[in-house]
Amino acid sequence: MKDYNLTHLRELESEAIYILREVAAQFERPALLFSGGKDSIVLVHLSRKAFYPASIPFPLVHIDTGHNFKEAITFRDEMVKQFNARLIVGSVQESIDTGRVVEEKGINASRNVLQTVTLLDTIEKNKFDAAIGGGRRDEEKARAKERFFSHRDEFGQWDPKNQRPELWNIFNGKKRMGEHFRVFPISNWTEMDVWQYILQENIELPSLYFTHEREVFFRDGVWLAAAPFMEMKPGEKAEKLRVRCRTVGDISCTGLVLSTADNLGDIIQEIAATRVTERGGRYDDKRSDAAMEDRKKEGYF
């Protein structure tokens, strides 16, 4: 009897590889959006499989907020070197310095929202016609509306009511000049699928995903990492706890979870038992019920 889980993961892998090859076939200047998080790392792994023995045929694009975890940046640079990949970095700090965006001030300030302008500028500057991302439909209700090939207009905006049908795995990448697509090869994967695939493929991850000691503070139901740019409210205090990241992004919005999971098996068991969604610990999603969809319509990931 076949192992159901192994077969299931191989089917998801095959679908993702097919989509990656479709991107390479249909678009002239594709790129892979890389955050240093587990989903984008899985995409790099899938891309290497899709085009082996050749190198990955498109660059990795990282939108650097300047407030990233140092572990993620270190991992990014080591991985790029290891796989001889091309890296393009879009800087939110540069967008602030040149007046393209205005930095938020105050206790709840975050650079996460500012990434949208930097991302669109980076896409325009490099004339990318497709940007591959690690979004999954199980993450958040706005992402559940997304197709594999997600059209963006000349302003980089997304209209969820004007998406193209995708029947029988036929993907329509036709576009007008100035438009582009976001492509999500692992849309059908769940968080558990990602973790089981990482275990199966023995994929390396940043140490952030495993339990470690870090100074954190508690705000509105979320543990946040203490950092020099993180202003605390009266009564909030930093304390050293054993935590890990479930999803990785800008420090200002990445919630951490109290955990003793120091290996992939323990992480999988922890996720199987939790009743909190993966993005339930993202502080930026708490700004409004439609925070993610609003940002996506403006051109966010």
Side-chain angles (χ1 to χ4, degrees):
M1 182 179 294
K2 291 183 178 180
D3 185 301
Y4 168 77
N5 189 55
L6 180 62
T7 303
H8 171 66
L9 292 177
R10 287 304 179 207
E11 288 176 350
L12 290 174
E13 178 190 66
S14 178
E15 178 182 64
I17 287 175
Y18 171 77
I19 293 166
L20 287 165
R21 288 172 176 167
E22 278 291 299
V23 171
Q26 291 196 37
F27 298 99
E28 293 181 4
R29 294 182 65 85
L32 192 156
L33 301 179
F34 185 80
S35 67
K38 66 183 187 307
D39 297 317
S40 59
I41 292 170
V42 165
L43 278 180
V44 171
H45 181 83
L46 289 165
S47 298
R48 293 180 65 226
K49 278 197 165 189
F51 302 104
Y52 182 84
S55 300
I56 300 173
F58 32 73
L60 310 186
V61 174
H62 180 219
I63 303 304
D64 185 358
T65 67
H67 290 170
N68 298 100
F69 289 96
K70 63 180 182 180
E71 295 93 333
I73 298 299
T74 298
F75 184 91
R76 178 200 72 185
D77 293 342
E78 291 176 350
M79 190 199 70
V80 166
K81 183 178 180 181
Q82 179 184 356
F83 299 147
N84 194 31
R86 291 177 290 155
L87 175 67
I88 295 172
V89 178
S91 169
V92 172
Q93 183 63 57
E94 183 177 325
S95 297
I96 294 170
D97 294 342
T98 57
R100 290 287 294 149
V101 296
V102 177
E103 185 160 21
E104 294 182 357
K105 303 295 182 183
I107 290 174
N108 291 310
S110 172
R111 289 187 173 185
N112 199 51
V113 177
L114 306 185
Q115 292 182 87
T116 299
V117 172
T118 309
L119 172 59
L120 293 176
D121 285 350
T122 303
I123 289 173
E124 173 62 25
K125 178 181 178 181
N126 293 278
K127 305 300 180 186
F128 294 131
D129 53 2
I132 305 163
R136 307 189 322 270
R137 295 190 182 114
D138 74 317
E139 287 183 88
E140 202 272 343
K141 56 188 177 183
R143 287 185 173 171
K145 300 178 182 180
E146 198 103 52
R147 299 281 198 267
F148 284 110
F149 276 35
S150 183
H151 177 264
R152 297 297 197 271
D153 65 19
E154 63 269 30
F155 302 105
Q157 296 177 331
W158 171 65
D159 181 1
K161 296 180 180 179
N162 190 29
Q163 297 191 92
R164 301 170 181 180
E166 294 181 340
L167 305 175
W168 304 292
N169 286 338
I170 297 174
F171 303 112
N172 182 356
K174 292 183 178 179
K175 58 179 179 54
R176 297 182 180 91
M177 184 169 292
E179 298 176 342
H180 72 277
F181 277 80
R182 306 290 171 86
V183 182
F184 303 101
I186 61 171
S187 286
N188 285 336
W189 299 43
T190 66
E191 182 188 13
M192 182 62 80
D193 292 330
V194 170
W195 281 110
Q196 290 180 332
Y197 186 74
I198 289 169
L199 176 63
Q200 174 183 287
E201 298 291 297
N202 194 29
I203 299 172
E204 291 187 25
L205 295 175
S207 58
L208 288 163
Y209 281 107
F210 303 95
T211 186
H212 58 284
E213 193 173 76
R214 183 180 294 274
E215 280 201 343
V216 295
F217 64 96
F218 197 66
R219 175 180 295 172
D220 299 335
V222 179
W223 287 102
L224 294 169
F229 52 83
M230 294 288 282
E231 185 178 346
M232 293 191 193
K233 297 178 181 179
E236 292 178 341
K237 62 177 183 179
E239 52 186 314
K240 279 193 174 183
L241 295 173
R242 300 290 293 178
V243 296
R244 72 175 191 86
C245 289
R246 191 171 166 189
T247 177
V248 172
D250 185 88
I251 289 176
S252 64
C253 64
T254 299
L256 297 105
V257 295
L258 303 179
S259 175
T260 59
D262 60 2
N263 60 74
L264 292 173
D266 286 350
I267 289 174
I268 289 171
Q269 289 185 11
E270 187 177 271
I271 292 169
T274 189
R275 292 298 176 265
V276 178
T277 63
E278 182 178 7
R279 292 194 68 91
R282 291 280 294 203
Y283 193 71
D284 56 332
D285 286 351
K286 298 181 182 296
R287 294 190 174 208
S288 75
D289 289 340
M292 171 62 81
E293 183 154 346
D294 291 342
R295 293 200 303 275
K296 285 182 71 65
K297 287 179 179 178
E298 294 169 0
Y300 183 73
F301 173 69

